[in-house]
Amino acid sequence: RFETAKQLEATQAEIKFERSRLQQEINRDLVEREHHIADINILFQRFATVLYGPGRDAYVDIAALDASMRISPHIGGENSQGIGKMVTFCFDLTCAVLAHRSGRGPDFLVHDSHLFDGVDERQVAEALKLAARAADEEGMQYIVTMNSDDLSKAQQYDATLIGDVIEPRLTDAYDDGGLFGFHFE
């Protein structure tokens, strides 16, 4: 038992040492990629500023942990559900743009309407305009599936949104309607 306990203790020490080594490697890698991290933060802050103005702190914190990285996007202000969803929106848009620029990502970004649940209609309108403008500037396409009533609410703040709606329009207005052969009740 004594030998087994010694071996277990040695194994735990080796694991602790290996985790420390991995964390150091991740930290070195982050230092080497500092200019990429700066690009991420600049773009993320630009998108957040469009949505919330220049008064909010917006950044992406990337930190080395024991054996992984923690990537945490933030937009300052109150911690509401709507702001949390717009953090996700800005981070997704940032990742999509930077991946496309470097040739490592597709030329489109897709969001579902759930991303906009609980978000103020004005913010939804601003987000849709931002995504359309960023996609146009980058030679990409932004796709969002959204209920027509939610789109109507956002159009109160920007009537030009309807111009970005393209066919096909999915509807449940008919008994034979549905999506991919499924009918939603």
Side-chain angles (χ1 to χ4, degrees):
R1 287 183 188 170
F2 179 71
E3 288 301 318
T4 303
K6 279 177 51 178
Q7 188 175 5
L8 182 60
E9 190 175 310
T11 302
Q12 288 175 341
E14 288 174 19
I15 290 171
K16 188 175 181 179
F17 173 78
E18 185 62 22
R19 282 189 173 165
S20 175
R21 189 186 67 72
L22 285 172
Q23 187 173 15
Q24 289 174 351
E25 281 186 37
I26 293 170
N27 278 325
R28 270 194 302 276
D29 191 52
L30 290 175
V31 168
E32 290 173 7
R33 297 173 190 265
E34 202 170 274
H35 67 282
H36 293 298
I37 294 169
D39 290 344
I40 291 167
N41 276 293
I42 289 167
L43 196 56
F44 182 81
Q45 186 173 34
R46 182 181 129 206
F47 293 153
T49 299
V50 169
L51 295 181
Y52 293 105
R56 295 203 185 192
D57 215 15
Y59 60 93
V60 178
D61 180 40
I62 302 174
L65 302 178
D66 292 12
S68 63
M69 285 193 318
R70 182 189 70 235
I71 301 172
S72 303
H74 299 278
I75 296 177
E78 60 191 71
N79 273 343
S80 71
Q81 177 187 5
I83 291 176
K85 294 204 174 183
M86 289 299 92
V87 168
T88 301
F89 171 83
C90 289
F91 186 67
D92 285 355
L93 191 56
T94 299
C95 290
V97 167
L98 291 176
H100 182 258
R101 283 181 185 173
S102 66
R104 294 186 321 234
D107 60 351
F108 62 89
L109 173 62
V110 180
H111 280 139
D112 183 69
S113 63
H114 289 294
L115 181 64
F116 299 103
D117 288 347
V119 178
D120 177 79
E121 292 90 5
R122 184 185 62 81
Q123 291 304 123
V124 172
E126 287 298 320
L128 293 174
K129 284 191 317 190
L130 170 61
R133 188 169 51 249
D136 187 51
E137 289 171 3
E138 299 293 332
M140 298 174 60
Q141 184 178 18
Y142 180 70
I143 302 166
V144 62
T145 58
M146 182 172 279
N147 294 332
S148 55
D149 56 334
D150 292 334
L151 181 61
S152 296
K153 291 175 191 172
Q155 282 180 281
Q156 295 174 32
Y157 297 95
D158 185 356
T160 65
L161 292 175
I162 196 67
D164 291 329
V165 175
I166 60 170
E167 295 296 330
R169 282 184 179 246
L170 305 176
T171 181
D172 58 0
Y174 310 104
D175 289 337
D176 63 346
L179 181 62
F180 303 119
F182 294 99
H183 184 70
F184 301 97
E185 302 282 335

